[in-house]
Amino acid sequence: MALGAGVAAGAVLPMGTACAAGGTAVTGTAVTGTAAASATGTVKDVKHVVILMQENRSFDHYFGRLKGVRGFGDRSGILLSGGQSVFNQPNGLNRQYPWKLSSTPASGGVDGETLAQCNGDLPHSWTSQHSAWNKGRMDNWVLGVGNVRSLGYLDRDDIPFHYALADNYTICDAYFSSAMSATGPNRTFLWSGKVDAASKDGGDESGLTWETYAEALQRAGVSWKVYQNANDNYGDNGLAYFTRFTSAPAGDPLHDRGMSSVPATTGSTPDDIAAAIKADALAGTLPQVSWVVANQAFSEHPYAPPGDGAHFVDLVYRALAASPEVFDSTVLFLNYDENDGFFDHVPPPSPPAGAAGEFVSGVPIGLGFRVPMLVMSPWTRGGWVSSEVFDHTSVLRFLETWTAALGTPATCPNISPWRRKVTGDLTGVFDFTNPVYGVPSGLPATKALGVNCGPLPNPSPQNNALPVQESGTRPARALPYQPGGNLDHFEYGAAGKVLAWFTMANQGDPATSAAHFSLQPNANRDTTPWQYTVDPGGTATDYFNIGFGFGSGKYDFTMVGPNRFQRRFTGDANAAGKAIEVAARYGVESGTGKMAIWFKMTNTSSAPVTFTVKPNNYRTDGPWTYQVAAGASTEDYFNAVAYQNGWYDLTITADVDSTWSRRYTGHIETGDTSVSG
C-alpha cells in the first residue's frame, strides 16, 4: 500500500507540548499564531470539525485495559444472575472472562498478534445485539452473539497508536452507540439523528427521506463536505442512504459535497483522502464540517486490521497538521459506529416505556453498547477522560451548539426528546480557556500492515481470568449530574405483601442534565432491570413487591447510575433489619468545608443497634461503629472530596441482622475537574 506523498507515516510535524507522563493534565502553551492570537476562550475558537467514524469495535474490546477509564478494573460492574461478575460470562455449561486475542499461540507460521489483527467479524444485527443485552441483564454475550470471540480484546501492545491518542488527548468512557443494531442504523443516527422501524436493522440503508444534518448545514450557510472514494467506501457514507442525495445531479451541492469522490492521485483510497484533506488545509478551503469515510481495508471492521485503521487515522491527523493554523483550530472526533458483537460490560441507558421515537414494536432502539470515542483538539489535550453519557447524536448536538455560537444555527429536529435529555452535547470534554497547540511528541509511527486476513484462522481463548487493567488514574472532566438514591421504607399489606420503596435523585449544583438510572433485582424475582430517567434537580420513586411469591421478604437490589454510581441493598423485610435503615445524602462537612457523603442511621426497634461502616476502596482506615439507641438515629459524614477526589465506596452492616447490608459507591460532583475512579 502506497503511503502517499507528503503524508507518510513518521512525517516531521510542528511540535506542541507533550502530554506529561501518566496522563497528567497539561496546561496551555504560549504558542503565538493565528489561533492563539484570535482566541476567545469559548467554543467559537473552533473553526473546523472533522468527524471520522470507523467500524465495529466496542469500548472494552479496545480500551478495557487502558488506565483511568471504566474498563476491566471497574469495581461498580453489575452482577449477573447467581451473583457472578458481569465480566464472568456464561459460556455453555462453563464461564469465560474477556481474553486477549493476541495470546493465541502461533500456528502454521502465523503469530498470535497477526491473528488478533485479523480477528473475524461477529453477528451484530438487531436480533443478536438485543440478545446479548438480554433486556439489560448483560449476561448473554457468548450465546447471543454466537461465539466466544465476543469476549476477545486488544490492548496497548496491539493498538499502540490508539492508546497514545488516549494518553495525549481525551477519551470518553461513557460514549454509547446509538442503536443496538448494525452499522447502517448507527451511521444513520450520526448523519441524521434518528432511524425508523424500516431502517432499524439495515446493513445498507437506502431510500430514507427525512432531513440529514448535512442539509441543515447547507441551509444555515455552514460549509461541509464528505471526504471519500464513492466507489471504495464500504457503504459507510450515511448520506448515500437518503433519496435526496442519491437522486441529486452533478452541480447540486448535495451531490458535489456529499456523494462525489476525492481526486484519485495515488491509486490508494486512504492516501487519496489524506491528500485531499491536506490540500484543502493548505489552501485554506477545508470546510467547517467534514465527514471522513474510510474504505473497507482501513475501516477497522474485523478482517480489516486495527493497525491499518490506525494508519488511516494517522494519515488524516497528519494531513490536518500540515497546516498549523488549521490544526490549531480543528476538532477531530474519532468514533466507531457499533461494537460488532464485541463485549462491553456497562449497561447502556435505556428509555422509559413510551419514550417517543425510541421503540420499535415495544423494543428499545438504544442506546447501544459503548464504543470508543477520542476527541483530538488543542482544547482536549492532556490524557483526560470524560464519563458523561454521549451517543452518536451528541456529535450533532455539538455541531448545533457550535453553529449557534457562530451565529449560523443548524438544528437537527430528528433527535428524540429522551436522547436530548440523557446524552450530552460533548462541550463538557473541552477546556477552551487552556488550549495546547501543536502536535504532541511521541506519537508512534504507523504503517499499512499489508496482511491478507481472509484465509487466516480466528484466535481462541488461552486463559480464563479477569484481565488486569493498567494501574493509575487520569484527569477527569466535571459531569452535569449528581446521582443519589436510597431504599426508603417497606410497606406491608395483607397475605404476605411487602413493597420495597426506592428513591433515585439527581440533585445538587452540578445537576444540569438528566441522569439515567436502573434498578436491578439480583435475586428472588425476574432479574430484568427497570429503567428511569431523572431530570436535573428531580427525583423518581418506585417500588418492588418483595413479598409472597417474590422472595417472601428477602431482597437484593442494585441501583445503577452514571459514572460508577451504585447502591446495593440486601436483607429480609421480615427479619430484625426491617426496623433499621440508612439514608444517604451529600452535604458540606465541617472539617474542611468540602462536600462529603452523609449517612443517617435510624433504629425504630425496641433495642439498641450497632451499625458498622467499612471502606471497600479509596481509603484504608476504619471500620467505624455507631450504637443507636432504640427509637433513635444518628448521622455522620465521610470525607470524599477533601481526601479521595470525590470518590467513595462504603458498606454498612448491623449487628442485629446478618442478612442486612447497604453498599454506597460513586463520585461527588462539584462542578470542577477531578480524577478518574
Side-chain angles (χ1 to χ4, degrees):
M1 181 64 68
L3 292 177
V7 290
V12 177
L13 294 166
M15 290 296 153
T17 297
C19 172
T24 305
V26 180
T27 59
T29 65
V31 172
T32 59
T34 303
S38 62
T40 66
T42 71
V43 70
K44 291 191 289 186
D45 293 337
V46 178
K47 306 303 179 188
H48 309 277
V49 177
V50 179
I51 304 157
L52 172 53
M53 176 178 271
Q54 294 284 77
E55 282 265 9
N56 295 47
R57 303 286 177 171
S58 79
F59 187 90
D60 277 343
H61 168 68
Y62 260 18
F63 291 115
R65 292 203 64 209
L66 178 69
K67 73 173 180 181
V69 299
R70 194 170 183 185
F72 295 140
D74 184 8
R75 293 183 287 261
S76 297
I78 65 169
L79 295 177
L80 306 184
S81 180
Q84 296 285 350
S85 160
V86 66
F87 296 108
N88 192 11
Q89 287 285 315
N91 179 22
L93 298 177
N94 301 308
R95 307 192 74 89
Q96 178 68 49
Y97 284 100
W99 52 280
K100 187 173 179 178
L101 292 167
S102 58
S103 66
T104 303
S107 175
V110 181
D111 58 83
E113 175 60 32
T114 299
L115 294 181
Q117 290 284 327
C118 290
N119 173 61
D121 60 347
L122 295 163
H124 48 273
S125 66
W126 173 274
T127 300
S128 63
Q129 297 276 43
H130 281 80
S131 182
W133 175 62
N134 198 15
K135 298 182 179 180
R137 298 184 185 96
M138 303 288 286
D139 63 354
N140 201 37
W141 281 95
V142 176
L143 180 62
V145 173
N147 199 304
V148 74
R149 282 188 292 109
S150 63
L151 300 176
Y153 71 85
L154 304 169
D155 63 13
R156 188 180 294 272
D157 295 335
D158 306 307
I159 48 174
F161 186 74
H162 295 79
Y163 271 61
L165 291 178
D167 288 343
N168 284 278
Y169 288 101
T170 295
I171 187 168
C172 301
D173 70 356
Y175 185 98
F176 296 84
S177 57
S178 288
M180 209 171 292
S181 187
T183 286
N186 278 289
R187 288 181 178 263
T188 300
F189 266 108
L190 178 75
W191 260 280
S192 75
K194 75 168 188 176
V195 293
D196 63 14
S199 62
K200 68 179 174 66
D201 197 22
D204 296 307
E205 309 270 58
S206 63
L208 305 183
T209 58
W210 58 88
E211 183 180 80
T212 66
Y213 194 71
E215 293 165 272
L217 292 171
Q218 182 71 22
R219 188 173 57 254
V222 178
S223 60
W224 62 276
K225 182 179 180 178
V226 175
Y227 289 87
Q228 65 164 354
N229 178 343
N231 296 316
D232 186 23
N233 67 6
Y234 201 29
D236 278 351
N237 178 4
L239 297 181
Y241 308 158
F242 290 83
T243 300
R244 291 192 190 97
F245 286 84
T246 56
S247 62
D252 185 320
L254 301 189
H255 173 275
D256 295 349
R257 299 180 183 183
M259 299 293 289
S260 60
S261 300
V262 299
T265 58
T266 70
S268 157
T269 290
D271 294 307
D272 285 346
I273 290 172
I277 294 171
K278 178 182 178 182
D280 286 346
L282 291 173
T285 56
L286 188 75
Q288 290 169 276
V289 179
S290 304
W291 287 275
V292 182
V293 183
N295 62 336
Q296 179 178 355
F298 287 78
S299 69
E300 299 180 54
H301 191 285
Y303 284 131
D308 284 345
H311 183 55
F312 181 63
V313 173
D314 192 23
L315 288 176
V316 172
Y317 179 92
R318 293 177 184 273
L320 294 167
S323 167
E325 178 180 347
V326 167
F327 190 78
D328 289 342
S329 59
T330 295
V331 174
L332 172 57
F333 290 120
L334 172 62
N335 60 7
Y336 292 73
D337 49 27
E338 37 97 351
N339 62 303
D340 193 73
F342 287 118
F343 169 79
D344 190 76
H345 79 281
V346 177
S350 191
E358 289 295 342
F359 288 86
V360 174
S361 301
V363 179
I365 296 169
L367 303 180
F369 300 112
R370 286 192 309 168
V371 291
M373 167 60 121
L374 290 160
V375 185
M376 290 160 275
S377 78
W379 312 281
T380 53
R381 284 280 296 275
W384 290 81
V385 62
S386 171
S387 297
E388 186 175 354
V389 174
F390 303 119
D391 83 323
H392 298 327
T393 66
S394 298
V395 176
L396 302 182
R397 301 231 351 252
F398 178 82
L399 296 174
E400 284 184 327
T401 300
W402 174 55
T403 57
L406 296 179
T408 53
T411 60
C412 181
N414 303 324
I415 303 172
S416 76
W418 177 75
R419 278 181 200 252
R420 287 189 179 274
K421 274 188 175 185
V422 83
T423 64
D425 68 359
L426 285 165
T427 56
V429 310
F430 295 88
D431 181 359
F432 291 108
T433 61
N434 289 292
V436 180
Y437 297 111
V439 175
S441 60
L443 291 180
T446 64
K447 65 179 181 179
L449 300 182
V451 178
N452 183 9
C453 288
L456 298 180
N458 280 309
S460 59
Q462 302 299 309
N463 63 341
N464 194 9
L466 180 64
V468 177
Q469 190 169 346
E470 295 176 344
S471 62
T473 60
R474 61 183 60 227
R477 292 298 181 195
L479 302 183
Y481 22 68
Q482 182 59 81
N486 289 295
L487 195 169
D488 293 326
H489 65 279
F490 300 110
E491 180 181 332
Y492 296 85
K497 182 178 181 180
V498 184
L499 305 181
W501 283 87
F502 298 88
T503 294
M504 291 147 284
N506 179 22
Q507 298 177 326
D509 290 340
T512 57
S513 295
H516 176 268
F517 294 82
S518 64
L519 272 170
Q520 306 198 223
N522 298 316
N524 306 314
R525 58 176 299 137
D526 176 59
T527 56
T528 301
W530 293 12
Q531 311 285 344
Y532 307 86
T533 300
V534 182
D535 289 337
T539 60
T541 60
D542 207 350
Y543 66 84
F544 279 73
N545 188 349
I546 61 171
F548 181 74
F550 298 96
S552 297
K554 296 182 176 63
Y555 60 91
D556 184 349
F557 290 91
T558 301
M559 181 185 295
V560 176
N563 194 26
R564 309 176 196 244
F565 172 87
Q566 191 177 104
R567 304 282 189 260
R568 187 177 181 190
F569 310 97
T570 65
D572 186 340
N574 294 316
K578 69 181 181 180
I580 59 177
E581 197 47 79
V582 175
R585 67 178 178 88
Y586 304 115
V588 175
E589 49 96 346
S590 58
T592 65
K594 296 184 180 295
M595 295 292 287
I597 186 167
W598 293 70
F599 297 115
K600 183 177 182 179
M601 293 159 274
T602 300
N603 173 21
T604 60
S605 74
S606 57
V609 173
T610 299
F611 293 88
T612 299
V613 182
K614 178 183 177 181
N616 303 305
N617 298 292
Y618 305 116
R619 56 190 302 168
T620 58
D621 50 349
W624 303 267
T625 58
Y626 303 84
Q627 188 173 71
V628 181
S633 65
T634 189
E635 187 173 41
D636 200 2
Y637 65 82
F638 289 79
N639 294 306
V641 172
Y643 301 112
Q644 285 88 43
N645 297 300
W647 292 98
Y648 61 89
D649 185 357
L650 302 154
T651 294
I652 304 179
T653 56
D655 64 341
V656 297
D657 188 345
S658 62
T659 70
W660 186 96
S661 70
R662 304 288 186 262
R663 183 180 178 183
Y664 302 86
T665 304
H667 184 258
I668 299 176
E669 293 296 326
T670 64
D672 294 327
T673 58
S674 185
V675 174
S676 61

